[in-house]
Amino acid sequence: MLSINNIEVVYDNVILVLKGVSLEAKQGAITTLLGANGAGKSTTLKAISGILFTERGNITKGSITLAGNPIHGTRAFDVTKLGIAQVFEGRRVFESLTAEENLMAGAHLQGDMSVVREGIERVFTYFPRIKERRGQLAGYLSGGEQQMLVIGRALMSNPKVVLLDEPSLGLAPMLVDEIFGIIKKLVDQEKLTVLLVEQNATMALQVADQGYVMENGRIVLEGTAQALRDNSDIREFYLGLNEGGARKSYRDVKHYKRRKRWLS
């Protein structure tokens, strides 16, 4: 469904951030992109959704295709019309609008209000808590409710592909479980294609079908989610487990020097 082929991204015509990144997000599956802060994960999503120019970034090499058709260099508004919706990091709701008005804002491509109403009811089936808060100002919703709202808002454009950037950020573990359960349900029932950027590697690899690991603007490891879960380096560097499967202590982590064997 979505393919990134050897792209390079440069900011301010000087700073090379992505250095030949290639990955594929298969139709009706969850593909996760793992990596530390600053690895280039969010930049990858922005390259797909067409909003790099807002941060003075440009794709200088490579291509991005949706269902075989090139979309790199396409304006963000047109990318949305092609069926790609991005859910940004940080739960960016319109705080002064109600929850329902936020959903309507996500349907700006729809000209038929009956279709918009159907979309809202569809979102409410997945997020009944948002239905309960439909008339409440979004700024007063809890963090978990705001995350549900922005995912629902993305669904209002009836996308084929959803780009999720750190959906677990700042949420309690029980809410994280609930959010990821809904994401999995959406993929299974709506046949969505999801590209998930997430630092919670444990949760990401539980729900994903395929995964990629990014370091310093490059893909350094890829495979099925199961293969990545079983990889000793992933277990140690991202899941915090030692060779015996036990959690590493804070002392171990503090004094640990990353070997990055996959880069050798």
Side-chain angles (χ1 to χ4, degrees):
M1 174 60 73
L2 179 68
S3 180
I4 300 175
N5 309 293
N6 198 34
I7 66 167
E8 291 185 354
V9 168
V10 175
Y11 283 104
D12 291 321
N13 297 317
V14 174
I15 306 169
L16 180 62
V17 178
L18 298 187
K19 308 164 185 176
V21 170
S22 296
L23 62 84
E24 290 186 351
K26 296 180 180 179
Q27 185 172 2
I30 300 176
T31 301
T32 188
L33 182 57
L34 306 176
N37 279 332
K41 305 185 302 298
S42 293
T43 295
T44 301
L45 297 191
K46 292 172 185 177
I48 298 167
S49 62
I51 61 171
L52 276 177
F53 75 95
T54 64
E55 299 176 355
R56 295 185 292 186
N58 291 289
I59 299 173
T60 57
K61 181 182 177 182
S63 64
I64 302 173
T65 60
L66 177 66
N69 300 309
I71 63 169
H72 51 283
T74 304
R75 297 180 306 168
F77 179 78
D78 293 319
V79 170
T80 303
K81 289 198 292 186
L82 290 172
I84 296 178
Q86 181 169 353
V87 178
F88 293 94
E89 176 186 351
R91 303 186 290 276
R92 300 182 190 180
V93 299
F94 299 118
E95 296 183 354
S96 59
L97 300 181
T98 67
E100 188 167 4
E101 288 169 341
N102 267 264
L103 294 180
M104 293 178 70
H108 63 279
L109 296 176
Q110 299 288 352
D112 187 339
M113 277 305 297
S114 65
V115 175
V116 175
R117 290 297 176 189
E118 288 174 6
I120 290 174
E121 292 304 319
R122 171 169 158 252
V123 170
F124 286 162
T125 61
Y126 290 104
F127 301 102
R129 201 177 310 181
I130 300 304
K131 184 175 184 178
E132 296 171 3
R133 307 286 195 274
R134 65 193 302 170
Q136 187 171 338
L137 292 181
Y140 291 102
L141 300 179
S142 69
E145 290 166 347
Q146 289 184 349
Q147 188 62 62
M148 294 175 189
L149 180 58
V150 294
I151 294 174
R153 189 174 63 193
L155 293 177
M156 290 297 295
S157 64
N158 197 26
K160 302 171 185 173
V161 179
V162 176
L163 312 176
L164 287 174
D165 197 353
E166 303 286 1
S168 74
L169 185 66
L171 299 183
M174 286 185 64
L175 281 174
V176 172
D177 289 342
E178 184 177 357
I179 294 291
F180 276 92
I182 294 170
I183 292 169
K184 185 68 173 174
K185 187 177 180 181
L186 281 167
V187 171
D188 292 341
Q189 295 188 4
E190 301 285 337
K191 306 305 179 186
L192 290 176
T193 300
V194 171
L195 180 55
L196 168 68
V197 161
E198 182 56 65
Q199 287 198 53
N200 186 339
T202 301
M203 182 59 70
L205 291 175
Q206 284 179 6
V207 300
D209 301 284
Q210 186 81 9
Y212 294 82
V213 179
M214 177 175 278
E215 294 276 359
N216 299 317
R218 293 186 174 90
I219 300 296
V220 296
L221 195 65
E222 64 179 275
T224 65
Q226 182 63 56
L228 293 181
R229 286 197 299 269
D230 293 340
N231 182 284
S232 60
D233 286 320
I234 297 298
R235 290 170 63 82
E236 191 166 9
F237 301 150
Y238 289 95
L239 306 184
L241 302 174
N242 60 26
E243 293 296 332
R247 287 284 174 187
K248 294 174 68 66
S249 69
Y250 174 76
R251 184 184 184 90
D252 290 335
V253 173
K254 183 177 179 182
H255 297 288
Y256 181 67
K257 183 177 180 180
R258 294 181 64 167
R259 297 186 304 275
K260 295 184 182 177
R261 291 193 296 267
W262 56 68
L263 292 180
S264 61

